[in-house]
Amino acid sequence: MKVNKAELLISAVSRKQYPEDGLPEIALAGRSNVGKSSFINTMVQRKKLARISSKPGKTRTLNFYNINDELIFVDVPGYGYAKVSKKERAAWGPMMEEYISVREELRGVVQIIDVRHPPTADDIQMYQYLKYHQLPVIVIATKADKVSKNKRPKHVKQAKNDLQLDKEDKMILFSAETGQGKDEGWSAIQNLM
């Protein structure tokens, strides 16, 4: 997909703030610091649309990004080791639950994992949560450039096994550094729309 327009529409914490334009939405979920912002920026060919931080847990709201007036990426708060208060982290659960359970525009979820490491318990729990809600999932295995080509199949196989990836869900090796997986990612996203 050639991206001519990519902009942050709104950062929301409840359904009263969600955009009302009716465009299909793809949510982006992943551990804190796994590369969600780099994924967004690579996909839309912008360096600073989604802010990249060395500190995990910077995304604390649902961030809605309009892409070409055709779809919306929804960046959800990262799970895992974010250094935020327990009270604030506890608020993320209901915020995500509300979004995932009521949002008719939601077509599927891109779950981002780090291919260098086996999926964490949080990654597995998130995948199971998405499948409980009967959502199609595209697993993006980032940082592929950090794993030698001959070791990648082993890492992908382990990730698929650990997640118990459904046959209808896709796993794509991705690198924000090299652009690997970008075209395949767009193809999979467009299939969900």
Side-chain angles (χ1 to χ4, degrees):
M1 173 185 267
K2 183 165 173 33
V3 176
N4 298 312
K5 176 181 179 181
E7 63 185 7
L8 176 65
L9 286 177
I10 191 167
S11 294
V13 295
S14 74
R15 64 195 297 184
K16 293 179 283 194
Q17 299 171 312
Y18 299 165
E20 296 181 9
D21 50 22
L23 292 174
E25 294 175 359
I26 303 294
L28 304 163
R31 276 186 304 108
S32 297
N33 231 22
V34 76
K36 283 189 298 156
S37 297
S38 295
F39 173 78
I40 293 169
N41 291 337
T42 300
M43 294 300 282
V44 301
Q45 300 168 312
R46 304 282 192 284
K47 289 190 177 187
K48 297 182 180 177
L49 179 65
R51 292 193 195 142
I52 297 171
S53 173
S54 59
K55 292 182 181 176
K58 285 296 182 185
T59 303
R60 298 178 183 195
T61 56
L62 301 172
N63 294 327
F64 291 78
Y65 295 95
N66 179 340
I67 313 298
N68 282 352
D69 294 324
E70 293 177 39
L71 82 140
I72 294 176
F73 280 168
V74 184
D75 187 9
V76 305
Y79 52 85
Y81 58 83
K83 292 181 181 176
V84 296
S85 71
K86 287 181 181 177
K87 182 179 177 184
E88 187 169 6
R89 194 172 321 144
W92 293 352
M95 182 172 56
M96 268 194 64
E97 181 76 32
E98 178 182 49
Y99 173 72
I100 285 176
S101 61
V102 305
R103 193 64 169 162
E104 290 180 21
E105 290 85 350
L106 181 61
R107 299 292 184 265
V109 178
V110 170
Q111 182 178 4
I112 300 174
I113 64 170
D114 185 336
V115 74
R116 298 174 300 174
H117 311 291
T120 65
D122 288 331
D123 290 326
I124 294 166
Q125 183 178 11
M126 175 57 73
Y127 183 75
Q128 290 170 347
Y129 173 78
L130 298 172
K131 297 320 292 183
Y132 171 81
H133 284 284
Q134 301 177 340
L135 288 164
V137 180
I138 302 165
V139 178
I140 297 292
T142 62
K143 307 184 188 200
D145 57 291
K146 309 275 193 238
V147 177
S148 66
K149 285 186 180 179
N150 62 341
K151 290 185 179 177
R152 289 177 193 168
K154 177 183 158 210
H155 286 254
V156 167
K157 183 179 180 186
Q158 176 165 16
K160 285 181 175 180
N161 288 341
D162 289 357
L163 292 172
Q164 297 178 8
L165 194 73
D166 284 357
K167 287 183 178 147
E168 68 267 10
D169 292 336
K170 191 169 188 70
M171 182 175 288
I172 299 169
L173 277 170
F174 185 86
S175 169
E177 293 293 318
T178 67
Q180 176 185 351
K182 180 180 167 192
D183 291 342
E184 195 179 350
W186 272 125
S187 177
I189 287 168
Q190 287 175 309
N191 285 340
L192 293 183
M193 294 166 45

